[in-house]
Amino acid sequence: MHISEGVLSGTALIAGWAGTVTCTAIGLRKTDTSKIVRTALLSSSFFLASLVNIRIGPSSTHLSLLAPVGLILGWSSFPAMLVALFLQAILFHFGGLVVLGANTFIMGTPALIVYVVFGKMIRSENKIFSGIMAFISGALAVMIGACLAGIFLGISDRNFFEAAKILFYAHIPLALIEGIVTSFMIMFLKRVSPEFLS
């Protein structure tokens, strides 16, 4: 879901940076210093998962692990993703520095939403229920991200609406894969390291 440089309008760029700076500031205030290593680990997981990009018009699709990052880190997702996307921009030229605010907002917001909505559910003692909720959160996070990318593209230029539709439909198979990966990761963590979900 990286949006390339030179695609977004000034309004979209300012909105993206405003949302990212605000949410990152809150995330930094809420980040417990004892969980810095956990935050760094998930930031690097997000960094690696989203390295394989498939171009779709002015954007791209890739495995993202948005839901696991959100479910485990909560508000700390924003600083974690900002660092990962910054490194991707300067090392591999994915997205770019000007669109870093928009890209971080597009990926950080779904992570935060699934944390708020599904955070308590995935910690349920009922393993089947927890696994199903993890799957739904993984799939939903991807589709929310695709919708946000479409909104940013639509704000920038009405001609991007067709590209936004293609972007949305292209993310449906990825959403199912992300749901399965998220369910597996959460169930694995509940079994071997439940304190990760505390």
Side-chain angles (χ1 to χ4, degrees):
M1 284 176 270
H2 292 90
I3 293 178
S4 305
E5 292 277 33
V7 173
L8 296 182
S9 65
T11 303
L13 291 171
I14 291 168
W17 275 111
T20 293
V21 167
T22 302
C23 292
T24 301
I26 295 169
L28 288 171
R29 289 188 65 181
K30 289 181 174 282
T31 300
D32 188 341
T33 52
S34 67
K35 295 178 181 172
I36 294 291
V37 173
R38 180 182 304 183
T39 305
L41 175 66
L42 284 156
S43 180
S44 62
S45 299
F46 170 77
F47 174 87
L48 291 171
S50 55
L51 276 182
V52 180
N53 279 285
I54 301 166
R55 299 288 293 165
I56 302 173
S59 185
S60 61
T61 185
H62 50 76
L63 193 66
S64 61
L65 305 181
L66 297 179
V69 171
L71 291 169
I72 294 168
L73 294 182
W75 276 98
S76 301
S77 303
F78 263 91
M81 289 183 180
L82 179 60
V83 169
L85 290 170
F86 172 75
L87 290 174
Q88 285 183 351
I90 61 170
L91 295 175
F92 302 106
H93 306 289
F94 291 161
L97 295 178
V98 175
V99 291
L100 181 60
N103 283 330
T104 303
F105 189 79
I106 288 166
M107 296 195 189
T109 303
L112 191 58
I113 289 171
V114 297
Y115 165 71
V116 171
V117 176
F118 296 96
K120 288 182 180 175
M121 295 182 196
I122 59 112
R123 291 163 177 82
S124 167
E125 294 297 319
N126 185 326
K127 291 182 181 179
I128 294 173
F129 176 75
S130 183
I132 291 169
M133 291 301 106
F135 173 83
I136 294 170
S137 70
L140 186 62
V142 171
M143 298 317 296
I144 292 171
C147 288
L148 285 172
I151 289 168
F152 272 90
L153 291 170
I155 289 171
S156 300
D157 191 332
R158 286 189 164 275
N159 295 324
F160 283 138
F161 274 122
E162 281 305 312
K165 275 197 256 180
I166 293 168
L167 184 70
F168 179 83
Y169 291 125
H171 277 82
I172 293 173
L174 179 65
L176 298 174
I177 295 168
E178 286 263 3
I180 293 166
V181 170
T182 302
S183 185
F184 173 79
M185 285 181 69
I186 295 301
M187 297 308 290
F188 178 76
L189 287 173
K190 283 174 76 78
R191 191 170 68 251
V192 301
S193 188
E195 69 277 2
F196 233 67
L197 300 173
S198 62

